[in-house]
Amino acid sequence: MSSPSSSSSLTLPGDPPGGRRAIAVWSIGVSVYFVAVIFRTSLGVAGLDAADRFHVNASALSTFSILQLLVYAGMQIPVGLLVDRLGTKKVLTIGVVLFTAGQLGFAFSPSYGMALASRALLGCGDALTFISVLRLGTRWFPARRGPMVAQLAGLVGMAGNLVSTLVLSRLLHGVGWTPAFAGSALAGVVVLVLLLLFLKDHPEGHEPEPLAHQGAAYVRRQIAASWREPGTRLGLWVHFTTQFPAMVFLLLWGMPFLVQAQGLSRATAGELLTLVVLSNMVVGLVYGQVVARHHAARLPLALGTVAATATVWAATIAYPADTAPMWLLIVLCTVLGACGPASMIGFDFARPANPAERQGTASGITNMGGFVASMTTLFAIGVLLDATGDNYTIAFSAVFVLQALGLSQILRLRRRVARRERERLVASRVKTVHVPV
């Protein structure tokens, strides 16, 4: 994991062995997350169609994604607690059933209200997946593999985004709304079967120690202990500040911005959204390798991504012409591709700060950050578009407010986290010297 050098270069006592079986089991868990992301991002390519189908304006359209993210973000701490208590397989099984039902419901919804309820159900199931996959990785792979395993999980998720951008969008315009969304729901059935037949929570000989769960007292202890760690809080704010610009762009407002404000065709806009996904996949591999080898690079990478995103975003929306040139839109989409990998760095602050029995809870707290920021920005942009007559320059400026808030918290916490990590490194070296392994 992305912790001090001792943990990044050595296999720790009690570490899982990894290997081919670990890859096979982890791949099943990641396939569930892959399908969840396809369903989550399906509205991004169907936003204009949804507005026509349900006869809604920009604010009502943004409510689809806001409600989905509200459910997702609100469930992250409960999901972390559930994963710590029930294990990965049970939680993922519930998640698949819920998000598949939500996608099916969305396919057949005759009204805005029913479609809204379906997206909420989908968000509920989606919320159960990513934290479960992160915990599966920590149970099956050595700690030093943590950053790369997490980045690969994010990369697979972006591949799901790519499928929704390239495949689902074509199905939507080829066979229509109901067949496209109902057909995609079959992927949920496939991963459910694989999950039930082949997934295991941990390798033999690495069973977690049983914990004495005491209802509400246990919940309070887990949350309080995780939150007391500065690394957990810094992880949340890194995730908050880095993830949301790309999420907002891909999940809902990128297609309308490129088509309505920039005058592009849907096909060209779809290609630019695909570029965001492809950039994300490439940058994720680079960031994972860099962080695994040099844990000190975590904060510079995160802050550099925030600075680059703000700069290119501002240049695009403030370009002194009716539309921005294609080269600038390409740069914007390429830079937005770094937002997802940068957000994964947040988990590399939270992971070493918490013991194994709190990993799910700490990851849930961290994962709330970007989705709270995305939800807030989606809503703000929708309201501002309606208030200003679709002025994207004003509406998209909401991004800077959230970035400034997150950046202030990162700078406030960074020294405290660095001090705690140095103390933890010293303690681990003392333990290595005095305790035979």
Side-chain angles (χ1 to χ4, degrees):
M1 64 175 116
S2 165
S3 52
S5 57
S6 62
S7 62
S8 61
S9 60
L10 298 174
T11 298
L12 300 176
D15 257 0
R20 292 182 179 178
R21 189 167 182 225
I23 293 173
V25 172
W26 181 78
S27 296
I28 295 170
V30 171
S31 69
V32 175
Y33 178 55
F34 172 76
V35 174
V37 173
I38 294 175
F39 293 178
R40 177 200 304 170
T41 57
S42 58
L43 186 61
V45 298
L48 296 176
D49 300 88
D52 292 337
R53 179 180 176 87
F54 301 114
H55 309 292
V56 294
N57 60 15
S59 296
L61 182 61
S62 67
T63 303
F64 277 124
S65 296
I66 291 167
L67 179 61
Q68 185 179 331
L69 292 182
L70 178 64
V71 172
Y72 188 104
M75 287 188 64
Q76 286 311 290
I77 293 178
V79 168
L81 291 164
L82 278 175
V83 172
D84 285 338
R85 182 166 185 173
L86 300 179
T88 300
K89 185 170 185 173
K90 292 179 181 178
V91 176
L92 278 179
T93 301
I94 298 170
V96 174
V97 171
L98 292 177
F99 68 60
T100 302
Q103 188 77 340
L104 273 174
F106 197 58
F108 292 100
S109 294
S111 65
Y112 175 71
M114 188 174 292
L116 206 58
S118 297
R119 294 306 286 187
L121 186 63
L122 192 158
C124 186
D126 182 18
L128 298 172
T129 59
F130 187 62
I131 301 304
S132 300
V133 170
L134 287 181
R135 190 176 190 272
L136 193 66
T138 64
R139 291 297 186 188
W140 279 90
F141 291 97
R144 69 182 186 277
R145 303 294 184 195
M148 180 52 66
V149 170
Q151 287 288 355
L152 285 174
L155 187 150
V156 171
M158 291 309 296
N161 201 325
L162 192 63
V163 168
S164 66
T165 303
L166 295 178
V167 179
L168 189 58
S169 61
R170 293 182 181 179
L171 280 175
L172 186 64
H173 298 110
V175 301
W177 181 280
T178 299
F181 281 100
S184 68
L186 293 176
V189 178
V190 173
V191 295
L192 177 61
V193 172
L194 293 174
L195 169 64
L196 293 174
L197 291 179
F198 301 113
L199 191 133
K200 291 191 66 175
D201 283 346
H202 47 74
E204 290 81 1
H206 291 271
E207 294 82 359
E209 294 184 7
L211 298 175
H213 301 297
Q214 299 176 355
Y218 164 76
V219 170
R220 287 194 296 269
R221 283 199 307 272
Q222 286 286 91
I223 296 174
S226 297
W227 185 255
R228 278 197 298 268
E229 288 292 344
T232 304
R233 301 198 300 277
L234 180 58
L236 179 147
W237 285 109
V238 167
H239 199 272
F240 178 101
T241 313
T242 53
Q243 186 203 47
F244 78 95
M247 179 72 73
V248 165
F249 202 78
L250 288 172
L251 200 59
L252 184 61
W253 292 120
M255 180 70 77
F257 170 73
L258 294 172
V259 173
Q260 296 176 348
Q262 300 301 316
L264 303 180
S265 67
R266 286 196 181 196
T268 303
E271 290 172 358
L272 286 173
L273 294 180
T274 302
L275 177 59
V276 178
V277 178
L278 293 175
S279 173
N280 182 296
M281 296 170 76
V282 173
V283 175
L285 289 174
V286 174
Y287 278 19
Q289 291 284 358
V290 171
V291 172
R293 288 174 168 80
H294 310 285
H295 89 283
R298 292 171 299 172
L299 204 54
L301 284 176
L303 294 177
T305 302
V306 173
T309 302
T311 299
V312 181
W313 192 276
T316 302
I317 65 175
Y319 193 79
D322 290 339
T323 60
M326 179 57 70
W327 67 263
L328 183 55
L329 296 176
I330 291 173
V331 172
L332 172 67
C333 292
T334 303
V335 171
L336 286 176
C339 292
S343 72
M344 299 300 296
I345 295 173
F347 297 101
D348 292 313
F349 286 105
R351 190 184 301 113
N354 292 274
E357 64 270 17
R358 287 208 310 266
Q359 287 296 316
T361 306
S363 295
I365 293 172
T366 300
N367 206 34
M368 283 181 60
F371 290 93
V372 169
S374 298
M375 176 181 61
T376 304
T377 309
L378 282 167
F379 176 74
I381 289 175
V383 170
L384 288 170
L385 284 174
D386 285 340
T388 61
D390 291 338
N391 188 320
Y392 279 90
T393 299
I394 295 175
F396 272 30
S397 295
V399 166
F400 304 125
V401 177
L402 276 293
Q403 284 182 322
L405 172 62
L407 187 60
S408 68
Q409 296 302 311
I410 291 172
L411 296 177
R412 182 178 66 85
L413 288 164
R414 72 189 192 284
R415 289 193 179 90
R416 196 179 313 173
V417 171
R419 184 172 62 252
R420 290 293 294 269
E421 290 190 344
R422 285 194 299 269
E423 293 170 355
R424 196 176 296 113
L425 174 59
V426 171
S428 68
R429 285 175 173 169
V430 170
K431 183 177 180 180
T432 302
V433 171
H434 293 289
V435 179
V437 176

